[in-house]
Amino acid sequence: MLNCYRFTRTIVHLNTLGSVLVNHHRIERRPLEQQQNFYCNTSYDTDYEYKSTFKTKSVLDRDKKKTSVLTGQERTTKSDTANLSLLNRLGLLQKGLSGFSNETGDNQDDGNLTNLMKKKRKKKNVQLQSTLNDDQVKDNSNITLNTNDNNDTIEYHPSLSSKSKSKSIDKEDDNNSIVDKPKRKRKTKKEKELELQLLESSSSSNKSGGITVENEEVVLHPSMTGDNNHSSKVKRKSRKSNKINEQSEQDQHNVEYQTNIDGVIPHDVNWLINNQMTMIDSPIDYTSSDIIIDQKQQQQQVKKISTTTTTTKAPKRVVHKPMDENAIRRFKEWINYRQQLLESIPTQVDLPDLEDAPLTVTPENAKQSPLNQAFPWDRFVEGCNRLVFGNERLRPLQSDAINSVLYRRDTFVSLPTGGGKSLCFQLPAIIDSGVTLVISPLLALMFDQLSKLLQLGVPTCALNSSVPVSEKKKIIKELLDPAGCPYKLLYVTPERMKTQEFIDILEHLNNTSQLKRLVIDEAHCISEWGHDFRKDYRKLSKFREMFPNIPIVALTATATPKVELDIKQQLSMHNTINIRGSFIRSNLKYEVRKKSTEPEFCFNDIYHFVNRNHKNSSGIVYCSTIAECESLCEYLTDRGLSVDFYHASLNAAQRVDTQERWITGKFKIVCTTIAFGMGIDKPDTRFVIHHSIPSSIESYYQQTGRAGRDGKLSDCILYYNKNDIRKMLKISTMGIVAQSHEEYQKIMESKTENIDTVTSYCVGSECRRVSLMEYFGEETKPCKTMCDNCTYTKANHYFEDDDNIREHERVYTSRFNYGATKKSKSKSRRYISMDDEEDEVD
Ligand SMILES: Nc1ncnc2c1ncn2[C@@H]1O[C@H](COP(=O)(O)OP(=O)(O)OP(=O)(O)O)[C@@H](O)[C@H]1O
């Protein structure tokens, strides 16, 4: 029998938490010596691997001094570089780089490379000329594109050529990778000397004054900037350039290829508020490290329509998606805008006072809330939201949440599904310095957010079981880099928190003042009373003990008051600011339909509903079992709909792949168990159908919350019959972990109560919206037009027959017997839910 452990609640004395909240009422710059400024420099090591490193000020004593716009103090200049090692991993650098300088204004693509080359020419021993002629580019094929005036160093080496499409640098563990990577090549002595000279000259040549935050070059692929001439010009120029260093044909080819890269955006986006106001650099790679199954594996992938489940090997993967052009444009604008803002910021900024006491902000009191006042970061928030995320404005309560997070207060955010909770921590993470640690319960959810952030250009990484070992090692190395970590957000599953290796990483980040906050997404998973309880979420309660000064941000869309209290207690949140929005989703139409006991009838009904109303729209159909999932998928596919299935028996790679294909519209309808859902953000999802009843109202709200996230009218249909009650009861009590019979019974009671509530919802005749909101403790008026009960007065005849009511009562009253039966077999037993998603920790 499996031993089972129940996590003991950790009690943290409140007095140890006194220092948790950083009450910084005044932002002042520290003396220069005290600042922990990290400077980024990119170079490649002897193995010709690109390397992006941050260096502390003390390390970079060779760097030039600049005058801060904020203080007038002289400061060491910083390097703003692409995260080349990340790029390298994603297979970009083999294609070369092209330059675009944003400092010189937009649409100056011709000038971009030229600017880079200008800077490069300053290096003594490369003998580059300082005018814009064809010769400028001649050494393009050489080792570097160094922009040391701005300390933007982008290096390129001929060995990383398109021709040398050899195996990946990561080849040792990415055998299945579909990314071709360049072959390593030993540097010649000459090259080494040249490189050394370049580095020396780069570190000694910068004499510009100006502002501290100066490195904001945006390097783009010409095709992305719409300048096709650029490529050809560079090619032409590079062909002429054979004077300085003799380059091989391969090198020349590299120059050409250099212009064909998807691009790279180095930037710095950190505004450090921890008693100083400065910017640190953050190398960035705007490619998306989407994790997909490699081609071979895809081919081998077992046809999904089958009764047996597939067990292909774990994901090996990386494919990068080009960045969205609008995102690039916005990002450039953001950099310019931020630059302007920084120039206008005074050297000292007062933070408004916020009482050190719990505070609740709701839509009703938001206007009078102390969070609704001017904060020094307001324009940064506005600019970042508009330019990085492409949103016109913040939604109600988002700005309160962001202010609270930036003020470094413990923050509990409960906004409706699709309410924009992610922005409440992602935006502060970008504006603030250091790393934001995000706990995310599902690989799919993590993948979704990671992919989006990378596409937006935000340096983000994830550590989970689907990340190949080689990449994991690299990420860990970067996180542990004594000189500084390049990422703004680090996503992990709760399981990772229990490994000593990861705790060491966190300790390192904390000791170097880089760990800025812990974010717990889908925080209801921490509560046993929550609908998606995950035992490893419980372990997060240790975080406060380990890092008492790090603020905690918990977010959920489905917390009842009881769950909310439990979350805060578990996490030892202190003087929490609660941001509480209305749960109403006014664009969702709710309907409950009677489900026939004949599976085919229900399948047929679903088919007709979709075919009639949402033939070409995306939607989700939730089923209670894997078998149901697959047979419904088969049925709908046979009838000509575009369908696939998703459930916990698929391995991580298959799940990621299915999710990605659904999100990108490769197929329209996903038949799934509850393994799919939390956090899935496909705005144009027009319907969510529950083929079987959900295990709780929270689950139902969460799952239907996938629909209509773009604000457009969407349908939520729930099929209900009495058999499903018993079936769901069985399923939802399978995963119970209990140490004693009493505990088991307690959990059983809670689970059955949840199902009772769902049943009441189904058979009830009051407005669906009112019923749902009542559950979350919110009062509202009947929707009148948005549910079956309001629109069809007789709709519930089906559920008022004696049979159903009797069955409902029988199940309700038999629940204690059910627990007792289990007890007789075993006092302590662990049942594994088939939909349990746990991250394998290696
Ligand atoms: N201020 C905003 N303006 C426009 N769109 C926004 C804004 N904030 C968020 N969004 C968009 O709203 C959608 C939902 O956001 P998000 O995924 O953060 O919701 P959520 O609250 O986490 O929902 P769930 O709990 O259901 O996962 C996303 O597509 C996001 O881009």
Side-chain angles (χ1 to χ4, degrees):
M1 194 181 77
L2 277 170
N3 281 333
C4 59
Y5 300 94
R6 196 180 139 77
F7 197 79
T8 317
R9 182 177 301 170
T10 309
I11 298 167
V12 179
H13 294 292
L14 282 184
N15 58 0
T16 64
L17 299 177
S19 56
V20 168
L21 305 173
V22 182
N23 195 7
H24 40 272
H25 296 283
R26 194 168 177 79
I27 300 176
E28 287 179 331
R29 290 180 55 74
R30 288 181 195 165
L32 185 62
E33 317 77 72
Q34 289 175 21
Q35 287 181 17
Q36 288 213 344
N37 295 329
F38 294 101
Y39 304 111
C40 181
N41 186 25
T42 304
S43 61
Y44 45 80
D45 63 18
T46 47
D47 278 325
Y48 284 24
E49 250 187 85
Y50 284 97
K51 198 174 177 185
S52 177
T53 56
F54 277 89
K55 294 180 181 177
T56 56
K57 188 172 77 65
S58 57
V59 177
L60 279 185
D61 51 356
R62 288 179 306 175
D63 279 356
K64 289 291 155 192
K65 301 284 182 189
K66 287 195 174 186
T67 308
S68 166
V69 72
L70 304 176
T71 60
Q73 280 180 306
E74 230 190 8
R75 291 183 53 193
T76 309
T77 57
K78 301 175 285 184
S79 291
D80 187 6
T81 62
N83 183 352
L84 296 183
S85 65
L86 190 58
L87 284 174
N88 210 5
R89 277 208 306 282
L90 299 174
L92 269 188
L93 282 180
Q94 60 190 314
K95 296 178 184 175
L97 297 168
S98 73
F100 182 95
S101 167
N102 202 46
E103 282 185 347
T104 54
D106 289 347
N107 304 321
Q108 297 181 26
D109 301 2
D110 266 342
N112 300 328
L113 186 61
T114 308
N115 281 340
L116 296 176
M117 299 313 298
K118 263 188 187 173
K119 291 157 190 170
K120 184 172 150 190
R121 281 194 298 278
K122 288 187 182 176
K123 292 170 191 68
K124 303 178 239 178
N125 299 312
V126 190
Q127 303 171 12
L128 294 175
Q129 297 165 19
S130 59
T131 50
L132 303 178
N133 58 40
D134 287 350
D135 290 342
Q136 289 166 355
V137 215
K138 69 181 74 177
D139 60 343
N140 236 1
S141 54
N142 206 337
I143 306 172
T144 59
L145 282 174
N146 272 327
T147 60
N148 290 296
D149 280 355
N150 289 340
N151 290 321
D152 291 335
T153 309
I154 298 167
E155 304 190 61
Y156 179 76
H157 192 272
S159 64
L160 302 176
S161 79
S162 60
K163 275 186 178 172
S164 57
K165 279 185 184 168
S166 56
K167 283 292 165 193
S168 142
I169 287 169
D170 294 339
K171 146 178 119 171
E172 63 275 1
D173 22 49
D174 274 359
N175 289 333
N176 295 332
S177 172
I178 61 171
V179 178
D180 283 328
K181 294 190 182 175
K183 203 171 188 172
R184 294 182 194 190
K185 184 180 151 189
R186 288 253 166 251
K187 288 178 185 176
T188 63
K189 202 176 165 190
K190 199 176 168 186
E191 282 173 323
K192 279 182 185 168
E193 279 171 12
L194 180 60
E195 189 188 339
L196 198 67
Q197 286 162 353
L198 286 173
L199 285 173
E200 278 173 1
S201 66
S202 72
S203 61
S204 63
S205 66
N206 195 335
K207 288 182 177 167
S208 60
I211 61 169
T212 307
V213 188
E214 70 288 320
N215 308 312
E216 293 170 349
E217 290 229 346
V218 179
V219 184
L220 299 175
H221 184 269
S223 64
M224 287 185 160
T225 60
D227 182 0
N228 297 327
N229 295 332
H230 175 66
S231 168
S232 56
K233 276 181 196 170
V234 175
K235 283 180 197 171
R236 183 166 37 80
K237 287 174 181 178
S238 64
R239 283 192 194 110
K240 287 183 187 175
S241 60
N242 289 317
K243 294 176 189 171
I244 298 171
N245 290 315
E246 272 190 20
Q247 295 295 319
S248 64
E249 256 184 47
Q250 187 186 0
D251 293 339
Q252 287 231 2
H253 179 84
N254 293 339
V255 180
E256 291 175 23
Y257 205 47
Q258 204 164 333
T259 64
N260 290 332
I261 186 164
D262 289 334
V264 101
I265 296 181
H267 76 133
D268 45 356
V269 285
N270 314 302
W271 185 30
L272 185 60
I273 302 165
N274 188 11
N275 296 323
Q276 57 182 319
M277 188 188 291
T278 183
M279 302 282 291
I280 61 168
D281 295 316
S282 168
I284 188 166
D285 145 36
Y286 71 75
T287 58
S288 160
S289 62
D290 296 350
I291 299 160
I292 65 155
I293 310 168
D294 68 283
Q295 284 167 339
K296 199 176 158 197
Q297 207 177 337
Q298 274 176 341
Q299 283 162 11
Q300 287 171 351
Q301 203 171 339
V302 186
K303 244 197 151 198
K304 286 188 174 179
I305 311 298
S306 74
T307 44
T308 52
T309 54
T310 55
T311 50
T312 50
K313 241 190 124 204
K316 294 283 179 186
R317 61 57 202 290
V318 176
V319 162
H320 53 271
K321 288 195 290 195
M323 197 177 173
D324 163 9
E325 271 189 40
N326 284 335
I328 298 172
R329 184 182 42 75
R330 290 200 310 263
F331 205 91
K332 281 157 50 184
E333 285 168 14
W334 154 244
I335 289 170
N336 283 334
Y337 182 68
R338 194 210 55 201
Q339 179 85 12
Q340 289 164 22
L341 288 180
L342 278 163
E343 282 164 9
S344 67
I345 284 177
T347 53
Q348 289 190 340
V349 182
D350 284 329
L351 268 185
D353 280 334
L354 264 191
E355 209 183 314
D356 229 0
L359 169 72
T360 300
V361 186
T362 61
E364 289 76 38
N365 72 5
K367 279 196 177 146
Q368 296 84 47
S369 145
L371 288 168
N372 184 28
Q373 55 179 311
F375 286 90
W377 48 71
D378 284 349
R379 290 172 69 201
F380 286 83
V381 170
E382 184 272 333
C384 185
N385 184 42
R386 186 163 43 84
L387 298 169
V388 178
F389 290 94
N391 299 326
E392 275 178 30
R393 62 185 71 83
L394 290 171
R395 287 177 179 166
L397 297 185
Q398 272 182 334
S399 68
D400 302 85
I402 288 168
N403 286 337
S404 172
V405 172
L406 283 172
Y407 209 95
R408 305 232 158 107
R409 290 284 296 263
D410 279 2
T411 309
F412 185 89
V413 182
S414 77
L415 290 177
T417 50
K421 289 182 287 299
S422 315
L423 196 79
C424 299
F425 65 85
Q426 288 172 350
L427 195 149
I430 294 172
I431 289 180
D432 205 349
S433 63
V435 190
T436 292
L437 172 66
V438 187
I439 309 293
S440 184
L442 299 176
L443 296 180
L445 171 57
M446 203 182 290
F447 161 77
D448 188 48
Q449 294 202 2
L450 183 79
S451 165
K452 278 184 183 159
L453 285 167
L454 285 172
Q455 273 193 291
L456 291 176
V458 183
T460 312
C461 66
L463 285 176
N464 61 49
S465 58
S466 71
V467 178
V469 178
S470 66
E471 189 165 333
K472 224 175 264 177
K473 278 183 191 161
K474 280 186 177 173
I475 290 173
I476 290 173
K477 200 174 153 200
E478 280 169 328
L479 290 169
L480 286 177
D481 190 336
C485 150
Y487 298 107
K488 302 307 301 166
L489 294 112
L490 162 63
Y491 281 81
V492 296
T493 47
E495 286 74 21
R496 202 141 293 265
M497 293 293 284
K498 61 188 177 193
T499 65
Q500 191 53 44
E501 186 191 28
F502 188 66
I503 290 169
D504 290 345
I505 293 174
L506 293 184
E507 270 167 2
H508 163 78
L509 291 172
N510 188 43
N511 294 339
T512 51
S513 306
Q514 294 179 87
L515 185 60
K516 289 300 163 186
R517 61 189 63 83
L518 169 71
V519 171
I520 298 159
D521 206 3
E522 310 293 354
H524 55 269
C525 295
I526 206 171
S527 172
E528 266 182 348
W529 316 119
H531 59 103
D532 277 316
F533 172 61
R534 282 273 291 280
K535 61 185 185 309
D536 282 306
Y537 257 72
R538 278 297 211 229
K539 300 202 166 54
L540 297 176
S541 56
K542 282 202 163 170
F543 185 88
R544 175 103 314 163
E545 239 182 312
M546 289 188 287
F547 308 105
N549 294 322
I550 303 299
I552 295 177
V553 182
L555 307 102
T556 176
T558 51
T560 57
K562 187 178 170 185
V563 170
E564 182 179 328
L565 190 68
D566 195 24
I567 294 169
K568 287 180 194 159
Q569 279 175 353
Q570 287 297 324
L571 295 171
S572 307
M573 289 172 80
H574 187 56
N575 282 342
T576 310
I577 292 186
N578 304 291
I579 309 291
R580 191 168 296 140
S582 163
F583 284 130
I584 295 174
R585 293 286 310 276
S586 52
N587 62 324
L588 299 189
K589 254 180 127 170
Y590 293 99
E591 182 181 346
V592 180
R593 292 187 180 189
K594 179 166 179 160
K595 181 178 173 183
S596 163
T597 44
E598 279 299 316
E600 285 262 325
F601 287 4
C602 182
F603 288 3
N604 187 43
D605 201 48
I606 292 173
Y607 165 75
H608 282 295
F609 170 77
V610 175
N611 201 38
R612 215 174 293 133
N613 303 294
H614 299 291
K615 199 170 180 187
N616 295 312
S617 312
S618 295
I620 306 173
V621 186
Y622 283 102
C623 303
S624 57
T625 65
I626 290 171
E628 254 173 20
C629 220
E630 295 187 1
S631 31
L632 177 60
C633 176
E634 193 171 3
Y635 181 90
L636 296 177
T637 308
D638 286 349
R639 299 200 65 175
L641 295 179
S642 165
V643 196
D644 207 338
F645 63 77
Y646 181 107
H647 51 63
S649 290
L650 303 181
N651 67 32
Q654 290 168 327
R655 278 189 248 172
V656 165
D657 176 54
T658 310
Q659 180 188 333
E660 173 70 359
R661 285 186 299 108
W662 179 70
I663 283 179
T664 52
K666 303 262 163 51
F667 68 97
K668 295 288 180 191
I669 303 163
V670 59
C671 294
T672 178
T673 59
I674 57 163
F676 188 80
M678 237 193 303
I680 297 291
D681 182 35
K682 182 167 167 55
D684 61 347
T685 304
R686 288 279 74 83
F687 62 92
V688 169
I689 295 174
H690 279 77
H691 172 265
S692 303
I693 60 164
S695 60
S696 68
I697 291 288
E698 286 112 308
S699 301
Y700 184 61
Y701 179 77
Q702 174 75 253
Q703 287 155 8
T704 52
R706 304 308 106 204
R709 291 160 79 87
D710 54 6
K712 294 185 185 160
L713 202 66
S714 306
D715 285 304
C716 303
I717 294 184
L718 196 166
Y719 286 89
Y720 163 83
N721 74 16
K722 57 187 179 184
N723 295 338
D724 279 357
I725 306 171
R726 297 183 68 77
K727 200 157 105 192
M728 184 45 73
L729 191 62
K730 225 173 188 175
I731 291 168
S732 66
T733 51
M734 274 164 70
I736 292 179
V737 179
Q739 277 188 326
S740 65
H741 173 59
E742 288 68 35
E743 189 186 318
Y744 178 84
Q745 268 211 325
K746 216 170 106 184
I747 300 171
M748 274 296 297
E749 259 182 63
S750 151
K751 299 249 180 199
T752 46
E753 209 173 300
N754 284 341
I755 294 169
D756 290 338
T757 322
V758 173
T759 314
S760 305
Y761 170 80
C762 292
V763 300
S765 56
E766 71 176 328
C767 168
R768 304 282 179 205
R769 186 186 288 173
V770 170
S771 311
L772 285 175
M773 292 307 113
E774 244 174 29
Y775 185 81
F776 292 109
E778 190 177 329
E779 275 184 30
T780 185
K781 290 179 182 155
C783 68
K784 290 189 180 158
T785 55
M786 296 296 282
C787 79
D788 54 344
N789 280 348
C790 286
T791 47
Y792 320 115
T793 46
K794 300 282 179 194
N796 284 318
H797 271 187
Y798 282 131
F799 306 116
E800 285 166 6
D801 64 54
D802 291 348
D803 262 6
N804 274 295
I805 289 171
R806 269 206 300 278
E807 179 66 19
H808 178 199
E809 281 168 357
R810 199 166 66 79
V811 171
Y812 189 87
T813 49
S814 68
R815 65 193 189 205
F816 302 108
N817 298 336
Y818 187 82
T821 318
K822 288 288 172 194
K823 185 213 163 195
S824 63
K825 286 183 185 164
S826 160
K827 278 192 179 172
S828 169
R829 184 178 291 241
R830 180 174 181 200
Y831 300 94
I832 313 280
S833 157
M834 69 180 141
D835 284 323
D836 215 7
E837 172 166 348
E838 290 181 12
D839 192 29
E840 306 151 28
V841 176
D842 35 38

